[in-house]
Amino acid sequence: MRNVILIGFMGSGKTTVGLRLSYRLRRPVIDTDKMIEKEEKRTISELFAAEGEESFRAKETQCLRKLLKNTGSYIISVGGGLPLRKENRLLLHELGQVFYLRADAETIYERIKGDRTRPLLQCSDPKTKIRTMMERRDAYYRDAADVILQVDGKSFEQILDEIEAKVKQMC
């Protein structure tokens, strides 16, 4: 069985869906951001502040290369910016089935408006920044995805049902 990989903008539900899908499909879950934080012994925010975004993106690529060496079948949730690099999009396809959890900008804003742990949103107008970033990233997410799921207004159970049905079709 192939890995199930969840991509999408920050706040799209990747982490929560990943955890719940892990229970449902009885597969371990891996969160690339958590994996990097553990290896670096620093938070993502600290890494961005100390080394910059480009250095962090390189760490994401290294993380994917390590995951390619794993045997077994996992649920893998990746950071929102990971698919921006072409190399990462190719690696994602090698790793497994890629599901793009797509949400509208308003949904994202409502979910993360009070979250101070998102380094790219620490600005005077996060709502506009979200919309701009999402517009810029959508083509990259689409390029990386095998399946695009619009998640606005859906319960986690509905999203899990859709993913599970697609996983069964693709096996």
Side-chain angles (χ1 to χ4, degrees), residues 48-97:
F48 262 76
E51 300 178 23
E53 182 174 0
E54 193 54 37
S55 173
F56 178 72
R57 299 295 173 215
K59 291 179 190 324
E60 289 178 318
T61 302
Q62 292 168 359
C63 181
L64 291 179
R65 291 193 177 286
K66 288 177 188 171
L67 290 173
L68 277 171
K69 295 175 184 174
N70 283 351
T71 57
S73 186
Y74 297 88
I75 307 297
I76 302 171
S77 174
V78 307
L82 185 142
L84 300 180
R85 284 184 163 196
K86 183 167 184 64
E87 179 180 9
N88 291 352
R89 294 191 300 276
L90 296 171
L91 292 169
L92 288 170
H93 284 294
E94 283 184 55
L95 269 171
Q97 299 168 290

Side-chain angles (χ1 to χ4, degrees), residues 84-149:
L84 300 180
R85 284 184 163 196
K86 183 167 184 64
E87 179 180 9
N88 291 352
R89 294 191 300 276
L90 296 171
L91 292 169
L92 288 170
H93 284 294
E94 283 184 55
L95 269 171
Q97 299 168 290
V98 183
F99 291 82
Y100 171 17
L101 303 184
R102 190 172 190 285
D104 293 333
E106 189 61 37
T107 299
I108 298 295
Y109 177 74
E110 287 303 315
R111 289 181 180 177
I112 65 175
K113 63 185 173 188
D115 189 342
R116 300 282 174 237
T117 66
R118 313 274 183 174
L120 293 175
L121 294 182
Q122 302 313 305
C123 61
S124 60
D125 187 3
K127 195 178 231 182
T128 299
K129 179 101 181 238
I130 289 168
R131 189 169 285 108
T132 302
M133 288 175 69
M134 287 181 75
E135 288 169 3
R136 193 181 87 238
R137 291 180 176 191
D138 189 62
Y140 298 114
Y141 292 148
R142 288 177 181 277
D143 184 48
D146 295 309
V147 177
I148 300 169
L149 295 176

Side-chain angles (χ1 to χ4, degrees), residues 2-6 21 25 27 73-77 95-99 163 167:
R2 297 178 70 201
N3 295 311
V4 173
I5 303 158
L6 304 174
L21 196 59
L25 298 180
R27 298 187 195 184
S73 186
Y74 297 88
I75 307 297
I76 302 171
S77 174
L95 269 171
Q97 299 168 290
V98 183
F99 291 82
I163 293 172
V167 167

